[in-house]
Amino acid sequence: MLDVSALRGVFGGTVLTRDDDGFEAARVLFNIAVETSPAVIARCTTAEDVRQALAFARRSGLPAAVRSGGHSVAGASLVQDGLVLDMRAMDSVTVAADARTAAVGGGATWGAVDRATQAYSVATTGGRVSTTGVGGLTLGGGSGWLERKFGLACDNLLSVDLVLADGREVTASETEHPDLFWALHGGGGNFGVATSFTFRLHRLPEFSIALLLWPHDEGEAVTRAYRDFVADAPDEIGGGLLYLTGPPEEFMPPHLVGQLCCAVLVTHAGPEAELRELAAPLLEADPKATVLTDIPYADLQCMLDDPPGFRNYWSAEYLMDLPDEAVRRFCASAYEMVYPSPSQHALWPWGGAVARAGDWPMRHRDVPWVVHPFGVWADPADDERARRWAHRLRDALQPWSTGATYLNFIGDEGADRVVAGFGAANYARLAQVKAEYDPDNVFNRWHNIVPATVRRDTVTRSG
Ligand SMILES: Cc1cc2nc3c(=O)[nH]c(=O)nc-3n(C[C@H](O)[C@H](O)[C@H](O)COP(=O)(O)OP(=O)(O)OC[C@H]3O[C@@H](n4cnc5c(N)ncnc54)[C@H](O)[C@@H]3O)c2cc1C
């Protein structure tokens, strides 16, 4: 029986074990199919708590995992019979409006950041929903509505405060531990526990959206039109195309509610009047539901929040091109998606500032498209069907794939996918950084970068 009294004695936050009230509520992730059960959940309130929890895990021989928003589809933020550093109480957001920076606690969600920055008409790129953790999303890259204008979330990092596996506290920035700072631009939770992030903010006084829906059988023509629209779109335009189940909203024609629909969301870092002109080719393509409006960015950010309490399986692929045959296969695949359900079948356009970023770990930043099957369902009997759907879509689009993908959009798809996500040269450089900052591979739950000093085929990750 594990004795956590020594940890409780020095810990400022709460320490939960399986017998404690609130343990199960603290354990459960966004993807409820993940049943991993840790021995201890340490709810950290300070960097000192993080140090103490890591030291306790080391002394007790417990594997460790780090949890913020709990959105890892593979359950990387839990570890079987190990210790979870739950960062959610470290959720402060401090905006320095004049300096255009925000200091964000390692366990904050994007909703908290967006609300705090909105008050000053500034923003930085976050994820597409408000409940995702800043920690996991940013360290893994960070794709969102503003990316074509301001880059990925990680591109806006000015510094990161971390506690390393050996308890050292370091700040990584362009001038301090620059090798570590480089690795934190997509290398994920492999290097330490981030207790605070400092982001660059941008002026965003006006923001608008066009949400357009068509019945599924018009999807192929809509997807072609959307592809052509994006090819000429300025960086202010973001968004994506999604197959989804028609939502029960006022703007929906009743016959499309609960039906498979093809939707386009066009986001615009500017006013509605400009968007109306820019999006004219789509507005003229006879959508059956149209919402065209100015909206505070922070409001859009929580408009599409996915419901928790479902089972999830996703995959993704970078596409070099989207010719008509790729469009046909993408659209055909929507019919295999588990629906009616919150599942989505997305095409995200990259380009703009995403492609212009410098020499960071993520490879293929210049791809024009990311395809992202996002399976969300309730019945465990559909588990296999959802998996097959995601994989068949990837297979169908292989002729246009780079063979790599954005790792935050996939679960555990094996070590080769991790290497491909960075490319062999960047992976080797990341492995060197890992050997310096986490030589014992303590942080191995997210897509694992194995320290250069360790042979990859000898590594067993904690469960
Ligand atoms: C509904 C939904 C929407 C999403 N939308 C987007 C999107 O728009 N854009 C996008 O890029 N991704 C998106 N994702 C994917 C998401 O970025 C990843 O799943 C990410 O890992 C989630 O981060 P988290 O903190 O919520 O997750 P967690 O499950 O809490 O953490 C995942 C991993 O991140 C690391 N980590 C988290 N916090 C810290 C920290 N403070 N210090 C060190 N390591 C840490 C750990 O290794 C951990 O295992 C979405 C996921 C979901 C479920």
Side-chain angles (χ1 to χ4, degrees), residues 29-30 66-73 76-77 87 106-107 126-129 131-137 139 141-144 188-190 192-195 197 306 312 314 374 406 408-409 445-446:
L29 298 184
F30 183 83
V66 184
R67 179 204 177 123
S68 290
H71 274 199
S72 160
V73 68
S77 37
M87 302 297 290
R128 295 178 178 82
V129 300
T131 51
T132 311
V134 172
L137 185 132
L139 294 171
S143 167
N190 273 290
V193 184
T195 53
F197 299 90
D306 303 83
N312 281 239
W314 333 321
F374 188 107
Y406 170 43
N408 260 351
F409 281 170
R445 300 289 300 135
W446 195 74

Side-chain angles (χ1 to χ4, degrees), residues 255-266:
H255 72 281
L256 289 184
V257 173
Q259 301 301 310
L260 184 65
C261 293
C262 180
V264 168
L265 176 69
V266 185

